[in-house]
Amino acid sequence: MDEQTRLMHSHTGVGMAGHPGLPQHMQEGSGGTDGDGRKQDIGDILQQIMTITDQSLDEAQARKHALNCHRMKPALFNVLCEIKEKTVLSIRGAQEEEPPDPQLMRLDNMLLAEGVSGPEKGGGSAAAAAAVAASGGAGADNSAEHSDYRAKLSQIRQIYHTELEKYEQACNEFTTHVMNLLREQSRTRPISPKEIERMVGIIHRKFSSIQMQLKQSTCEAVMILRSRFLDARRKRRNFNKQATEILNEYFYSHLSNPYPSEEAKEELAKKCAITVAQVSNWFGNKRIRYKKNIGKFQEEANMYAARTAVNAANASSHGSQANSPSTPNSAGSAGSFNMSNSGDLFMSVQSLNGDSYQGAQVGANVQSQVDTLRHVISQTGGYSEGLTANQMYSPQGINANGGWQDAPTPSSVTSPTEGPGSVHSDTSN
DNA sequence: GTACATGATTGACA
DNA sequence: TGTCAATCATGTAC
């Protein structure tokens, strides 16, 4: 039998004796040996092919039925299935057996940790609490942010589960469909149960890759939510008024050297309910912005000077606390910050009176300073008429180089609470 | 929507 | 390592 005939023979898949509709020579397994015979065979086969379309559906069904009922069919299918198992499927099997995807495991772990997957027993809440703790922000509005975070996480969780359910449903439907299809096809071509099982596995893998994408997207959403929640810059909140006042009071009362020590920073942080880093940031920004635009801050400086003066005056007139006046506290609710000096304020006050600032003079006589302060206060309302702004709070603390007057290197900046030798002009001196 | 205020970040520097 | 200076990103007032 020549190659073409063999091909046709195998393609028809019905090279079995007694099958209707095939040329007699094929049914008998004989092929033409001479050229004319071959031509005749091919012609017959072509004729057969051409007439297939002319056959009725019933006729085709009858043929199909006859084929399925052929006594040799099961045996032949078994053999073919065996061959398939030994060749193609075994090769595929070796390729498809993969270890669990580490990325998928990471995603699963993360979703579990974030409370997106797994039981919903406050996982998101715990994550939010951890996020809050990590952020180290002021606690006042933490609960609001916390609930916001939880709500958004819950939303993500809901979407995740809905989509996951959809995928699983679709996967099951598709698997059932394919299995039915393969079972149906197994009547006409050799498909072993193992092959069907393998196909199911392939479908599942495909769907799990889709699920992995879903998991990845969910993880990204959680990460974004988390980063937004944690990112201090994004959730920047202006300090409350009290905190700003406390910081400003310190700044303007240490204008000649507005570099709080670590201890002072910690105390300010505690008073303002912010972190030490935030205090440092605040002073850094304040120094820069004050230096850049002193005129703009003049009014503010005067206001704090007046306040400090009033409080200093009150403190000194109410007893013997002149050596350690507490920070002026406009509202009295911010707590008293122990600024043991008002030297810079006095410096400015004295300059108001035309005296040049000399550190040794500062705080020499508390009572006289209080008197001077009272004078300043009386003028505060109309300083703009009689006094230039610079007279009130001249940038004398800033040297020609742009640095603060006598400002030591940051590392040697001493606390306002430090004793003699400090660059600050404590009244306690 | 826009301009300004303000807290945070970043890179350079001493 | 703390500070400066520039810059970013958000809040707020209009």
Side-chain angles (χ1 to χ4, degrees), chain A residues 36 136 161 349:
Chain A
D36 291 341
H161 282 288
V349 168

Side-chain angles (χ1 to χ4, degrees), chain A residues 13-14 16 71-83 190:
Chain A
V14 287
M16 293 175 269
R71 62 190 172 85
M72 291 298 287
K73 187 207 160 187
L76 181 64
F77 267 41
N78 281 342
V79 171
L80 289 172
C81 282
E82 248 178 70
I83 292 167

Side-chain angles (χ1 to χ4, degrees), chain A residues 12 14 16-27 44-49 51-52 55 59 62-63 66:
Chain A
T12 54
V14 287
M16 293 175 269
H19 188 274
L22 286 181
Q24 188 60 37
H25 72 268
M26 289 185 74
Q27 289 187 20
D44 289 345
I45 292 164
L46 287 174
Q47 188 62 34
Q48 288 284 330
I49 291 168
T51 55
I52 281 175
Q55 290 172 359
E59 199 176 350
R63 281 191 181 194

Side-chain angles (χ1 to χ4, degrees), chain A residues 360-372:
Chain A
Q361 291 177 343
V362 175
N365 185 320
V366 172
Q367 190 55 53
S368 68
Q369 288 169 343
V370 169
D371 293 338
T372 315

